[in-house]
Amino acid sequence: MTAIKENSTLNANRKSNQASCPVSFVMSKIGGHWKPIILYHLLSGTKRYSELKKLIPAITEKMLIQHLKQMQEDNLVIREAQNVVPPYVTYSLSKEGEQLRTVLDAMVEWAFAQDFKIDEN
């Protein structure tokens, strides 16, 4: 992710907008194309990295890792490294991430109200 200069006008405007608009604050945490999809899949329970990759085949490894790290930093996702052979990592929703369930459920409800159909192919 490209670093934004701390003293840039864009950064100052972004911080001001987040401080004055709750929707901007939420979008700074879960906005973008992949974060809501990752969170949606974690609603059903803890997943290994490989499970998330299979559930979201279009995402690149770089983007999946990057978004998981960002959501971990934002306290939405808990990362647990299992100390077994072979080692593996699991991801689950934190308490804060779990609180997004109503938001994500509302998004799903809205999609079906718009005649969304699951592609069975």
Side-chain angles (χ1 to χ4, degrees), residues 27-96:
M27 292 307 293
S28 73
K29 304 295 181 193
I30 67 165
H33 182 78
W34 299 113
K35 285 182 183 178
I37 297 169
I38 296 166
L39 291 168
Y40 171 75
H41 287 294
L42 289 174
L43 284 175
S44 61
T46 301
K47 302 276 187 290
R48 291 174 70 164
Y49 174 86
S50 59
E51 291 176 291
L52 287 170
K53 184 69 180 112
K54 285 178 189 170
L55 289 167
I56 316 167
I59 193 170
T60 64
E61 288 194 26
K62 178 186 177 201
M63 291 305 291
L64 181 55
I65 291 167
Q66 180 178 321
H67 287 312
L68 286 167
K69 282 183 181 178
Q70 288 171 355
M71 290 188 292
Q72 185 182 358
E73 289 170 6
D74 288 336
N75 298 317
L76 299 177
V77 170
I78 298 169
R79 178 187 188 270
E80 288 187 57
Q82 307 298 325
N83 194 15
V84 296
V85 177
Y88 65 91
V89 176
T90 59
Y91 294 91
S92 59
L93 293 177
S94 66
K95 181 181 173 189
E96 291 83 359

Side-chain angles (χ1 to χ4, degrees), residues 104-117:
L104 295 165
D105 285 345
M107 291 170 71
V108 170
E109 213 174 288
W110 185 84
F112 282 109
Q114 305 304 311
D115 292 327
F116 169 79
K117 304 223 181 337

